[in-house]
Amino acid sequence: MNVVVFDLETTGLSPERDAVVEIGAVRIIDGRVEETQKFETLVRPTTAAGEPLLIPWRAQQVHGISNDMVRDAPHMAEVLPAFLEFVGPSAVVAHNIGFDGGFMRANARRHGLEWRPAAEYCTVQLSRRAFPRERAHNLTVLAERLGLSFAPGGRHRSYGDVQVTAQAYLRLLELLRVGA
């Protein structure tokens, strides 16, 4: 098993109108999270036309990333090729892959690149299969359900979410194998 678990923080919910402000990722190899193989960067947000984009106050309240924090960060045009190289031929995992994958597809298209991971896996979908009677499957609830905890200040920051998502992915696979 060789997968890359990733998470994005953004200026909003629309891959076409909003921008990525942070990317975090870690590789899982043979069922182990390899903390030494990680990708983590802030991203200076721009519009699809390349114009500077401010992080809305509401988004800042969610992830805590301010305009000052991304002022000197690289643009997505610099970050995306490096991230795609990090992912390489691996499958990817995200909590709500539709959201994160949608942003990656839109950004790849915008920069003349391709987002083509070997496969995409979603811990929300795995959680629904593992816990079909439960209604909530957000990352905070899933972490509690699985006995996982976020590093201080880690929730809603890409790498903090990735660390928990990676552990949740491994535990969900184990639960689903036992229950199969």
Side-chain angles (χ1 to χ4, degrees), residues 88-108:
S90 300
V92 294
V93 176
H95 194 77
N96 190 1
I97 193 71
F99 178 83
D100 297 276
F103 268 89
M104 293 311 300
R105 277 186 291 285
N107 277 281

Side-chain angles (χ1 to χ4, degrees), residues 147-174:
L148 303 171
S149 58
F150 294 89
R155 182 66 177 116
H156 291 298
R157 287 302 301 266
S158 290
Y159 197 70
D161 285 356
V162 158
Q163 290 174 307
V164 170
T165 301
Q167 291 300 323
Y169 175 70
L170 293 172
R171 289 197 186 173
L172 287 166
L173 289 182
E174 187 177 305

Side-chain angles (χ1 to χ4, degrees), residues 8 29 34 38 57 68 71 76 83-84 86 106 112 142 151:
L8 307 176
I29 299 174
E34 296 292 338
K38 68 179 185 176
W57 179 83
D68 285 342
R71 178 175 295 126
M76 187 57 110
F83 181 64
L84 294 176
F86 178 80
L142 179 59

Side-chain angles (χ1 to χ4, degrees), residues 83-164:
F83 181 64
L84 294 176
E85 185 176 320
F86 178 80
V87 171
S90 300
V92 294
V93 176
H95 194 77
N96 190 1
I97 193 71
F99 178 83
D100 297 276
F103 268 89
M104 293 311 300
R105 277 186 291 285
N107 277 281
R109 191 171 47 251
R110 193 173 296 138
H111 295 286
L113 301 168
E114 291 185 347
W115 172 248
R116 291 185 157 210
E120 293 183 347
Y121 300 107
C122 181
T123 52
V124 172
Q125 294 303 319
L126 292 173
S127 178
R128 287 180 177 147
R129 285 180 43 209
F131 305 105
R133 291 189 172 89
E134 300 293 338
R135 293 182 60 139
H137 298 278
N138 66 61
L139 190 55
T140 301
V141 169
L142 179 59
E144 289 172 8
R145 198 173 284 145
L146 295 173
L148 303 171
S149 58
F150 294 89
R155 182 66 177 116
H156 291 298
R157 287 302 301 266
S158 290
Y159 197 70
D161 285 356
V162 158
Q163 290 174 307
V164 170

